[in-house]
Amino acid sequence: MVAAAEEERFSRRKHGKRPVPFSAWELPEQAAAWCLKQAGLRPEDLDAVAYSYDPGLVRPGGPGLDERWEDLRTTYARRAPAFLATALPGLDAAQVRYVPHHVAHAASAGLAAPYRDSAVLVCDGRGEAVSHLAGHYRDGELTILATQELPHSLGLMYEEVTEHLGFLRSSDEYKVMAMASYGEPRHLGELRELIRSDGEGGFRVEPIDWGGYAKALSKGEPWTEEHADLAASVQRRLEEVLLDLARWLHGRTGDRCLTMAGGVALNCVANTRLLAEGPFEHLWVQPAAGDAGTALGGALHLARVFGEPAAPMPGADLGRGWTEEELAAWLRVARVPYERPADLPAAVAAELAANGIVAWFQGRSEYGPRALGRRSLLAHPGYAANTERLNDVKGREQFRPVAPMVLAERAREIFERGPLPSPYMLFVHDVRPEWRDRIPAVVHVDGTARIQTVDRADDPLLARTLEEFELRTGLPVVVNTSLNTAGRPMVDDPRDALECFGSSPVDLLVLGPFLIRRGETFAS
């Protein structure tokens, strides 16, 4: 794997396009061009290009399809090779290969995982005609054991309740997961009748009148206890059905390892319960588990078809990066005063210990929706008010948690339940009781935290910053949340970082080896 980046990082539009059917014609043109440049290739050098949706599998008029837009979506998919050849001059349209959507998801997990063989579970809103795939990989070959035909879909069900609660469907589902911690699953009994596994590796989702549980919210309208209870009920039922699917799959494969992808696999609360209560010893979730990850999966699948064995994913830092000279040039163009401290980790730790907020921009950007110490906002975890403070900085809802970053070898002292190490922030862990009052900013209302563990061999600079912070505060944890503001993609290039710093109440910007301080650059 040489490069991977989502179009949103270039276009500055969240997810690269609106999550609606008629945006299917929009392709990741800038991301594709950058990936080729990073690899030193031209479009005419390519043996194959993967398109992770096969229009030949769509059944016209089939259940679960949006009849208003399905013909248009399918037409765009059929014409995608020509669109891509136009976007990448020199590309032969005949080199574009359709990869079934859920096969691409499966490959992004099973072929990228650190295991040679594994069971694989894919669950999302929908593909061409199904919403779920269960199978296993043996020596790089996928065997599909079960799929779930539309209209039954756990992902679409979760999208529906997301929209009912006033959020953007197919985008804001993580907000429902966060809200669920504030409620009680009062409606679980009824939802067990409406959302149920079928005992054969699939499930059924009946039409649900969400208004019977809580009134629909408009965007920004305050939520109440009844909305939190609905979120909690849906979240709990999702977890239960996923456990049923995992147990069925384990019974068919006997595998020790489960790999997962699809948008539902970004539900870190469900992932932790799957590992804690499910039959698999190991669970690996591909860090770009949503639809952006199907680009990786499609490429891995075609590489395997062409006879090239897949190597495990080396990490999530597969996006753009800049040299020190390039960063310095950006700062000179911006005409902002900056410094290059002899000991960067110590300087950053001092600012954090003084309760400053730090924008951290280092190395190649992350592939996937989580900030993993490449494009992050860092803060002191010892002040409970910092949760609200960071949510204000980012302009997002106050019920949203922020996450802790901790050295891998220290994590077990502070956190329990959930796998360790946890480098991709795709699981939740319980904060040990003796630590909850010491790091309140990163403890969610239910006593959990979505942690990122830092391996000093992979990221020595960040590891030293954590050590220097502990020397000053006695706390081996730092707050980590994504470097962006609400509704905007994560910061990716130096201009994005400078613009975000200039428009947000952040005290210090770390740009590679350089520091830009608020008091020296802007009025406080």
Side-chain angles (χ1 to χ4, degrees):
M1 298 177 200
V2 176
E6 194 169 350
E7 184 74 2
E8 66 169 21
R9 305 300 180 90
F10 301 84
S11 68
R12 309 308 300 155
R13 295 173 64 203
K14 192 74 172 175
H15 304 304
K17 59 184 180 182
R18 293 288 292 173
V20 290
F22 50 82
S23 67
W25 65 274
E26 298 188 57
L27 297 172
E29 298 178 11
Q30 296 179 75
W34 173 79
C35 284
L36 288 173
K37 182 179 179 181
Q38 184 72 14
L41 296 171
R42 299 168 300 175
E44 54 265 36
D45 297 326
L46 295 172
D47 297 304
V49 175
Y51 187 85
S52 58
Y53 188 89
D54 186 347
L57 298 178
V58 177
R59 296 193 299 273
L65 303 183
D66 187 337
E67 62 184 25
R68 298 169 300 170
W69 301 109
E70 207 59 44
D71 287 347
L72 189 60
R73 187 205 307 259
T74 304
T75 297
Y76 284 146
R78 289 195 180 106
R79 296 182 179 179
F83 292 165
L84 281 163
T86 301
L88 301 172
L91 174 67
D92 181 355
Q95 304 298 69
V96 178
R97 309 292 183 95
Y98 293 117
V99 177
H101 186 72
H102 287 86
V103 171
H105 269 311
S108 79
L111 294 181
Y115 318 124
R116 180 177 176 181
D117 298 329
S118 68
V120 62
L121 189 64
V122 174
C123 194
D124 65 359
R126 54 153 293 189
E128 300 87 352
V130 303
S131 69
H132 157 69
L133 178 153
H136 61 79
Y137 273 95
R138 297 287 183 271
D139 294 323
E141 294 294 330
L142 172 65
T143 299
I144 298 174
L145 299 173
T147 60
Q148 178 55 60
E149 292 190 355
L150 295 170
H152 304 286
S153 169
L154 296 175
L156 290 180
M157 178 274 298
Y158 213 93
E159 286 184 22
E160 287 176 6
V161 78
T162 297
E163 185 172 53
H164 188 78
L165 294 172
F167 306 124
L168 181 61
R169 66 180 299 156
S170 195
S171 179
D172 290 346
E173 283 68 28
Y174 56 91
K175 297 181 184 181
V176 178
M177 181 180 69
M179 184 187 288
S181 299
Y182 290 84
E184 295 294 330
R186 291 192 298 113
H187 311 297
L188 188 56
E190 293 175 62
L191 291 182
R192 281 174 175 158
E193 297 297 317
L194 296 168
I195 308 165
R196 58 191 186 277
S197 54
D198 63 10
E200 298 178 357
F203 48 84
R204 295 291 179 269
V205 180
E206 305 298 339
I208 300 173
D209 176 16
W210 300 113
Y213 302 103
K215 81 176 188 71
L217 293 177
S218 301
K219 181 180 179 181
E221 187 178 358
W223 54 276
T224 66
E225 181 180 331
E226 69 175 5
H227 298 101
D229 289 347
L230 175 57
S233 302
V234 170
Q235 173 66 30
R236 186 71 61 85
R237 188 57 188 146
L238 174 73
E239 296 165 14
E240 292 176 345
V241 174
L242 288 174
L243 274 166
D244 287 342
L245 297 177
R247 288 167 179 146
W248 179 90
L249 182 56
H250 184 266
R252 292 291 303 272
T253 68
D255 283 305
R256 298 172 57 232
C257 307
L258 174 65
T259 59
M260 290 181 64
V264 174
L266 291 172
N267 192 305
C268 54
V269 176
N271 293 345
T272 295
R273 190 170 176 195
L274 268 178
L275 184 61
E277 301 179 29
F280 292 94
E281 296 177 37
H282 304 286
L283 173 57
W284 189 84
V285 181
Q286 196 268 111
D291 279 352
T294 62
L296 171 65
L300 289 172
H301 176 78
L302 289 185
R304 188 72 184 83
V305 168
F306 277 81
E308 182 179 340
M313 196 170 188
D317 52 334
L318 294 168
R320 289 189 289 179
W322 283 263
T323 66
E324 292 180 8
E325 293 76 16
E326 289 169 331
L327 293 175
W330 275 96
L331 292 170
R332 289 192 295 270
V333 169
R335 297 184 181 181
V336 294
Y338 64 91
E339 61 185 277
R340 181 172 185 158
D343 191 337
L344 181 76
V348 173
E351 182 66 40
L352 291 170
N355 204 25
I357 294 178
V358 174
W360 178 272
F361 182 108
Q362 294 288 348
R364 295 179 65 178
S365 60
E366 302 93 338
Y367 182 47
R370 309 285 191 244
L372 302 171
R374 302 299 174 127
R375 307 289 186 269
S376 292
L377 280 171
L378 308 179
H380 196 308
Y383 300 102
N386 277 347
T387 308
E388 182 176 344
R389 184 181 172 201
L390 283 165
N391 281 331
D392 284 342
V393 167
K394 291 165 66 70
R396 66 183 200 174
E397 300 88 353
Q398 286 299 340
F399 66 85
R400 304 263 301 277
V402 291
M405 175 188 287
V406 61
L407 281 171
E409 64 264 30
R410 303 296 304 279
R412 205 169 296 279
E413 303 170 33
I414 307 160
F415 306 100
E416 56 188 350
R417 199 172 65 99
L420 292 172
S422 184
Y424 298 135
M425 295 175 70
L426 288 166
F427 299 87
V428 296
H429 295 69
D430 293 331
V431 183
R432 292 185 183 274
E434 63 270 25
W435 279 93
R436 292 178 186 176
D437 290 337
R438 297 185 66 187
I439 53 172
V442 296
V443 183
H444 197 30
V445 66
D446 59 1
T448 67
R450 186 185 67 197
I451 77 172
Q452 180 206 347
T453 56
V454 176
D455 187 321
R456 65 178 65 251
D458 294 334
D459 202 335
L461 190 69
L462 201 52
R464 274 215 51 230
T465 302
L466 287 164
E467 290 174 330
E468 291 288 340
F469 181 74
E470 184 177 12
L471 286 175
R472 289 161 173 78
T473 65
L475 300 176
V477 170
V478 165
V479 177
N480 171 31
T481 188
S482 56
L483 180 51
N484 66 329
T485 53
R488 298 284 291 165
M490 213 182 306
V491 158
D492 198 75
D493 73 11
R495 180 188 293 275
D496 302 334
L498 288 162
E499 289 179 349
C500 188
F501 179 61
S503 62
S504 305
V506 174
D507 300 292
L508 184 71
L509 170 61
V510 183
L511 202 66
F514 307 110
L515 300 184
I516 303 95
R517 297 185 183 275
R518 164 78 45 191
E520 298 172 3
T521 308
F522 306 99
S524 298

